[in-house]
Amino acid sequence: MEAASSSGEGSERGEDKGIFQYFGWVYHIGVNSVGREYCHLRFLLVRGKCVAMYKRDPHQNPDIKPIRQGVIGATLVVEDLGCRKVNNGDLYVVRFYSRQEEGRKGEIACATAEEAQRWMEAFLHARQQAEHDLLTESDSKDKLMHEMEIDLQGNRHKMKRYASGLKKLKKIGQGPETLLRLSSKFFGNSDGFEGETGDVFDIHQWKCVRTMSGIRIFEDVSDHKSGKGALVKSVGVIDAPADSVFEVFLNTERQKRYEWDMLMGDLELVETYDGHYDVVYGTYDPKYLTRWHSKRDFIFSRQWFRAQDGTYTILQFPSIHKKKPPRSGYRRTKINPSTWEIRNLNTPMGSDRPRCLVSHTLEINSASWYRWKNSQQCTKFEKSVPYALLCQVAGLKEYIGANPIMLHHGVRSHSSHPSLTSSDFADQEIQDEFYDAIAAESISSDDDTDDDKGSDQDHKVKLKNVSWAMSNMALKIGAAPNASKELDLDASSITIDVSGMNGSLRRGENDKDTDCWTCPSGEGFMIRGKNYLKDNSKVTGGDPLLKLIAVDWLKVDKAADRIALHHRNLVQTEAGKSLPFILVFNLQVPAKPNYSLVLYYASDRPVNKDSLLAKFLDGDDAFRDTRFKLIPSIVEGYWMVKRAVGTKACLLGKAVTCKYFKQDNFFEIDVDIGSSSVARSVIGLVLGYVTSLVVDLAILIEAKEESELPEYLLGTVRLNRLKPESAMPLGA
C-alpha cells in the first residue's frame, strides 16, 4: 500500500467531503455452528462509522448487496493477536469485540503487520466517530444507527458488528488490495506519533566508534552498566517503512535471507506461541567466519512488540527446545542476546520516500572487540558471531535498497465511487484529529532518538551520567508546569497524615532498600509544554499534583475490579474517607498467581470543577480511554528489559482494557494488562527479572487543546526490586 494525495477530492466527493472511507480485501476467520474452522476472503468497506462486508468488490459490481452490515459502536475493543498459521499460511490476526459483551468475539486475518495496523487504525477511527456521535446525537436517525450495531456472532441474515482492527491482504486472484481512505485530514502525517524520543531521560552515553557499509557502530561508554562486557549497537537509516523492514527481518525464507544475512541464512521455525513469540533453529557453516571448525547450530527465541507510535521492538534470547536436541556433527553455539528497534522517521519536506531508523543492540564479552574498534586492520573480531550480528543492519539496508518495491507500503487513497453514495450510509461529521499524539519533527540526531531508557530524579538516586543526558535534552527542557489550578484553591487545604495509611507494600527508607516503594519527583519525565501544539516542545515534569499515600501488592485468584470497595481497603477507613479526593490506580498483572499493584494518590483539596482532571473524572469511558497516559522507566535492571518496556508514554485505554469507577471521594482505574497479548508478553518478561529491577512510573492526563497545556503529572512511584512472594492475599 502507498500513501496517496487527496488532490481533486473536493469536486469528486461533493456532499461527502470530510467523510473518510476505507476498503480492501481481508480474511474473515472463525468457527461455524458445527465446530469447523473457516477462512473466507471478503471485501470490507468502512465509511464513517458504518461497515459492510461483501463477497465481491462493490465498485466493480454496483448491484451487489452486502452479506453483513451495521455500525461501529463506542464500546469497540480491538486486540492485535500477532502472527498465526491459517490454512498453512502465516497471517496476522486481529480480534474484536464489544466491551459490554466480551463473550462475543470475532477475528480477521491479513498478510502483513502493516495491513493489520492500518485496518486497526481505521476501525479505531470509526469508533472515535461513534463516541463523538453518542455525545452529540439528538435525532432518531442517529439513535437508530446506534441500535443497529453488528452482532459479532449472529447469523448472516442478522445485523453483525465487524468493528475490529482489520487488515488489507495480499492480492488473490482478481481481488484488488486497496485500502481506501477519503480523508487525508486524519492521516496527514504517516508517522502520527508523539515525538521521536522517549519521555524519560536516558543515562546511556552512546559514542560512535566505527562506521562501515553505511551504518554506524556505537558503544555505551558510560560507566553505569547492568552487566559485564560492552553494550554495542549498529544503527542505520533504511529507505523503507518500518513495517516493511519488520516483515523482511521476521521472514525465515532461506533464499531471501541468503541475500542479506551472513549468519542466520538457514533458519527453521520450531514453534510459535501467542503470535508475538516464536522459537527458531538455525545452522551456519563456520568457514564463512572462522577456519577449521565443525558446523554450528543455534536456537533462539524472538519476541516482538509494536508500540502505539508504530515502532517495532524485537527481543532475541538464546534458547533451548525439546524438539531440537544436540545434533550429531554440529557444535551448539550460543547467540548473543540482542534487541532490535525499527522506528519510522519523519519524511523530509518535498519527499514522499518513507524512512526508518534501525538499531540492533547486543552485549559483547570479547577482548577482540576492544582491539577491533581501535584498529583499522582486520582482526579476530571480524570472524566472530557478534560481528556477524552487527552486520545484519548493513545487510538489511543493502537488500532493501536493491528492492525498490519495498519502498512504498503505505495506504492508497481514492475518490468515492458513484455506487457508494451517501444514501448507502449515514453521513457523519468527522473529528478534528485521528491520532492521539501529534507528529513532531525530530530535533535531535539519529543516535539520540533511539535510546532505550531513562533515569529519574538526580537527587535521590545516584545514577551516573544523568547530567549528561539532561544536557543533551536541553532544547526540550523548560520550567515545570504549575498544576495548582486543577484543585479548588478556594477550599481550605488539609494536612495529609500518611502515618495511619499503610498498604501491604512498605515504604522504602532509601534507594538501596528492596521490596518497597518510594516517591520520586517528576524531573526524570518529559511532558507536553505550553507551546506543544506549536513547536512540539516538552518540559520536565514538576512535582506531581497528587501525593502517593500507600501501595498495595496483592495476590488474587483472578483480576479484581473495584478493589477500593473491599471492606478492608484503605479507602474505606476513616482516614481515607476524610480525604478530599483519592485516585486508586489498580494494575492487574496476569501470572500464576495473578497480582494487583494498587497505588493510592490523594489531594489536600477538592478537585476544581473547571479543570481537566474534573473533565476526566466526569467524562465517559471513551473520553477517558483517549486521555489517560502512563510513562514507564526502568531505572535499574537488565538492559533487554529496558528495551522491552521502553520509555514512551502509552495511552492505556488504547493498549489494554481499562475500567473506571467513581464513588464518594474516590475514583478507581482498573487496568487489565492481560487483555492484550502484547502487554502480557512484556509483563511476563518484567516479572522474570522483577527482583532486580527499579521501576519508575508516572501517570497523567493527555492535554490536546491549548487551554489544557502545559501537561502535569498526576502522580509518580518508584518500585524497588519487588518480590512476588511478598504479595499479600486480597482480604488478608
Side-chain angles (χ1 to χ4, degrees):
M1 295 184 292
E2 58 183 359
S5 65
S6 56
S7 59
E9 290 179 353
S11 61
E12 296 184 12
R13 291 197 320 222
E15 63 177 357
D16 291 336
K17 183 177 181 180
I19 301 299
F20 72 94
Q21 292 190 29
Y22 302 82
F23 66 71
W25 292 94
V26 300
Y27 283 122
H28 177 214
I29 62 177
V31 180
N32 61 22
S33 58
V34 296
R36 297 188 63 179
E37 294 184 354
Y38 61 83
C39 178
H40 300 311
L41 181 64
R42 295 290 183 255
F43 189 93
L44 199 66
L45 170 68
V46 179
R47 186 176 190 276
K49 67 177 182 180
C50 304
V51 59
M53 180 174 281
Y54 301 84
K55 284 188 175 182
R56 293 186 294 275
D57 184 353
H59 302 96
Q60 300 176 4
N61 303 272
D63 297 329
I64 192 173
K65 299 297 181 182
I67 58 176
R68 312 178 193 273
Q69 63 180 352
V71 297
I72 294 172
T75 59
L76 166 69
V77 177
V78 183
E79 183 179 2
D80 179 9
L81 298 184
C83 189
R84 182 194 300 175
K85 286 283 186 183
V86 179
N87 286 355
N88 297 320
D90 292 330
L91 295 177
Y92 290 83
V93 181
V94 176
R95 175 180 294 163
F96 49 96
Y97 57 91
S98 169
R99 184 184 288 116
Q100 295 176 342
E101 298 179 80
E102 297 184 12
R104 298 187 302 169
K105 300 181 179 181
E107 294 180 353
I108 58 166
C110 298
T112 68
E114 178 190 12
E115 294 165 3
Q117 185 63 25
R118 295 299 186 186
W119 277 104
M120 290 179 70
E121 291 171 350
F123 276 82
L124 290 174
H125 186 189
R127 184 186 72 177
Q128 290 182 349
Q129 180 67 61
E131 294 165 352
H132 177 267
D133 291 344
L134 282 179
L135 299 175
T136 58
E137 65 182 19
S138 57
D139 56 39
S140 57
K141 178 182 178 182
D142 284 336
K143 292 181 180 179
L144 176 62
M145 293 296 292
H146 176 56
E147 293 171 357
M148 293 173 62
E149 286 193 48
I150 305 175
D151 185 355
L152 287 172
Q153 294 182 338
N155 293 324
R156 178 175 298 173
H157 302 292
K158 298 181 180 180
M159 301 300 264
K160 293 199 170 189
R161 174 164 186 239
Y162 281 83
S164 113
L166 306 180
K167 308 178 180 186
K168 194 191 73 157
L169 291 182
K170 292 180 178 176
K171 190 171 183 179
I172 299 178
Q174 299 301 315
E177 54 173 72
T178 50
L179 177 56
L180 178 64
R181 184 191 71 205
L182 287 182
S183 178
S184 59
K185 184 174 183 180
F186 294 94
F187 287 87
N189 227 314
S190 61
D191 295 302
F193 60 89
E194 179 179 333
E196 296 206 3
T197 58
D199 291 305
V200 296
F201 290 116
D202 187 355
I203 64 168
H204 286 289
Q205 196 170 10
W206 295 105
K207 179 182 178 181
C208 183
V209 294
R210 290 287 291 268
T211 59
M212 62 179 191
S213 304
I215 65 170
R216 293 169 294 160
I217 307 297
F218 290 86
E219 181 184 14
D220 179 15
V221 296
S222 67
D223 52 359
H224 175 72
K225 290 189 174 68
S226 304
K228 300 178 181 179
L231 196 59
V232 181
K233 68 178 178 180
S234 55
V235 179
V237 176
I238 298 180
D239 291 331
D243 299 293
S244 300
V245 177
F246 173 74
E247 294 293 336
V248 173
F249 172 80
L250 221 59
N251 194 328
T252 59
E253 186 178 339
R254 175 182 298 180
Q255 193 56 46
K256 291 183 178 179
R257 292 197 76 96
Y258 271 9
E259 294 190 44
W260 68 270
D261 194 343
M262 61 186 289
L263 176 66
M264 298 180 176
D266 293 288
L267 294 182
E268 174 189 342
L269 189 62
V270 179
E271 192 165 0
T272 300
Y273 294 94
D274 61 0
H276 297 274
Y277 184 95
D278 60 24
V279 176
V280 178
Y281 171 79
T283 62
Y284 73 93
D285 191 334
K287 70 181 181 182
Y288 297 111
L289 295 178
T290 60
R291 290 186 176 183
W292 320 118
H293 286 90
S294 61
K295 291 184 178 181
R296 307 288 184 93
D297 66 352
F298 52 86
I299 303 177
F300 64 95
S301 64
R302 303 184 300 186
Q303 191 172 10
W304 58 90
F305 322 102
R306 191 182 196 276
Q308 289 176 342
D309 64 3
T311 298
Y312 289 96
T313 299
I314 305 118
L315 311 180
Q316 294 186 164
F317 291 94
S319 182
I320 58 174
H321 198 281
K322 61 182 181 181
K323 292 182 180 179
K324 292 296 179 181
R327 183 177 174 183
S328 177
Y330 285 80
R331 178 182 172 187
R332 184 62 52 91
T333 299
K334 184 177 180 181
I335 299 296
N336 299 57
S338 64
T339 66
W340 287 76
E341 183 181 86
I342 307 171
R343 177 172 56 80
N344 281 315
L345 295 175
N346 288 324
T347 302
M349 187 69 68
S351 172
D352 62 350
R353 172 172 291 188
R355 302 180 307 152
C356 67
L357 185 72
V358 180
S359 304
H360 187 195
T361 307
L362 61 149
E363 191 171 341
I364 299 176
N365 298 288
S366 171
S368 61
W369 154 258
Y370 298 99
R371 292 191 294 269
W372 177 80
K373 72 173 184 176
N374 296 316
S375 172
Q376 299 299 321
Q377 299 179 353
C378 181
T379 67
K380 182 180 178 181
F381 180 73
E382 294 183 5
K383 299 293 185 179
S384 67
V385 169
Y387 178 80
L389 292 173
L390 288 176
C391 289
Q392 286 179 318
V393 174
L396 273 173
K397 181 181 177 72
E398 293 300 318
Y399 172 69
I400 293 177
N403 292 270
I405 194 173
M406 300 180 183
L407 297 183
H408 298 285
H409 280 184
V411 178
R412 287 201 293 265
S413 175
H414 302 275
S415 301
S416 296
H417 193 278
S419 66
L420 302 173
T421 63
S422 58
S423 61
D424 297 320
F425 297 93
D427 290 332
Q428 309 294 340
E429 295 297 325
I430 57 176
Q431 297 170 308
D432 295 331
E433 182 178 296
F434 171 70
Y435 288 104
D436 288 302
I438 299 175
E441 290 292 331
S442 175
I443 63 172
S444 56
S445 63
D446 289 340
D447 53 296
D448 287 334
T449 60
D450 66 334
D451 294 331
D452 60 349
K453 75 172 281 290
S455 66
D456 195 70
Q457 59 186 129
D458 54 8
H459 299 295
K460 293 186 177 181
V461 181
K462 295 181 180 179
L463 292 179
K464 301 168 186 175
N465 302 307
V466 172
S467 59
W468 173 88
M470 295 184 68
S471 64
N472 271 313
M473 299 292 289
L475 290 176
K476 291 189 176 182
I477 297 177
N482 182 6
S484 59
K485 64 181 181 180
E486 297 294 300
L487 302 179
D488 187 355
L489 299 180
D490 294 332
S492 58
S493 174
I494 69 167
T495 301
I496 301 178
D497 182 12
V498 298
S499 59
M501 303 178 186
N502 298 317
S504 63
L505 188 67
R506 65 184 181 86
R507 181 166 186 161
E509 298 179 359
N510 54 58
D511 295 311
K512 295 182 179 180
D513 209 347
T514 62
D515 199 28
C516 61
W517 62 272
T518 56
C519 291
S521 72
E523 294 178 358
F525 299 96
M526 301 297 295
I527 57 180
R528 296 181 177 185
K530 182 63 179 176
N531 299 319
Y532 181 82
L533 298 181
K534 299 176 182 177
D535 58 13
N536 300 108
S537 61
K538 292 188 178 182
V539 298
T540 55
D543 290 331
L545 176 70
L546 307 177
K547 182 175 183 179
L548 182 59
I549 57 176
V551 176
D552 273 332
W553 179 225
L554 304 173
K555 186 186 305 179
V556 294
D557 294 329
K558 61 180 181 178
D561 296 332
R562 301 191 176 186
I563 208 161
L565 294 180
H566 193 277
H567 68 281
R568 299 189 64 177
N569 190 273
L570 180 151
V571 175
Q572 302 301 325
T573 64
E574 291 301 321
K577 294 178 179 179
S578 66
L579 295 173
F581 173 70
I582 301 177
L583 175 64
V584 182
F585 182 51
N586 178 19
L587 274 174
Q588 300 168 347
V589 182
K592 293 182 180 180
N594 295 304
Y595 299 96
S596 269
L597 178 70
V598 190
L599 312 177
Y600 301 90
Y601 296 95
S603 66
D604 58 357
R605 287 185 173 91
V607 177
N608 184 350
K609 296 181 180 180
D610 297 324
S611 65
L612 176 60
L613 177 56
K615 185 179 179 181
F616 175 80
L617 299 178
D618 297 331
D620 59 13
D621 288 356
F623 174 80
R624 294 162 177 162
D625 281 347
T626 59
R627 292 300 189 102
F628 187 64
K629 290 200 298 190
L630 173 73
I631 305 177
S633 171
I634 305 295
V635 180
E636 294 182 16
Y638 186 34
W639 65 273
M640 290 194 70
V641 179
K642 299 175 187 177
R643 284 285 186 179
V645 172
T647 61
K648 294 181 180 179
C650 172
L651 285 163
L652 285 179
K654 296 192 69 175
V656 295
T657 299
C658 295
K659 297 179 181 179
Y660 309 91
F661 179 63
K662 182 181 180 183
Q663 182 173 305
D664 301 329
N665 69 327
F666 72 90
F667 184 86
E668 180 172 338
I669 305 174
D670 298 316
V671 180
D672 182 9
I673 298 176
S675 62
S676 164
S677 59
V678 174
R680 285 197 304 270
S681 297
V682 175
I683 202 66
L685 179 63
V686 170
L687 286 175
Y689 294 88
V690 68
T691 56
S692 62
L693 300 179
V694 176
V695 183
D696 280 1
L697 302 175
I699 56 175
L700 65 156
I701 302 172
E702 181 170 272
K704 293 186 177 181
E705 301 175 8
E706 189 171 357
S707 60
E708 298 170 348
L709 292 169
E711 286 182 335
Y712 62 89
L713 298 177
L714 281 174
T716 62
V717 66
R718 170 165 291 167
L719 304 169
N720 293 319
R721 305 173 186 88
L722 295 187
K723 297 179 180 179
E725 63 270 18
S726 69
M728 299 293 293
L730 180 61

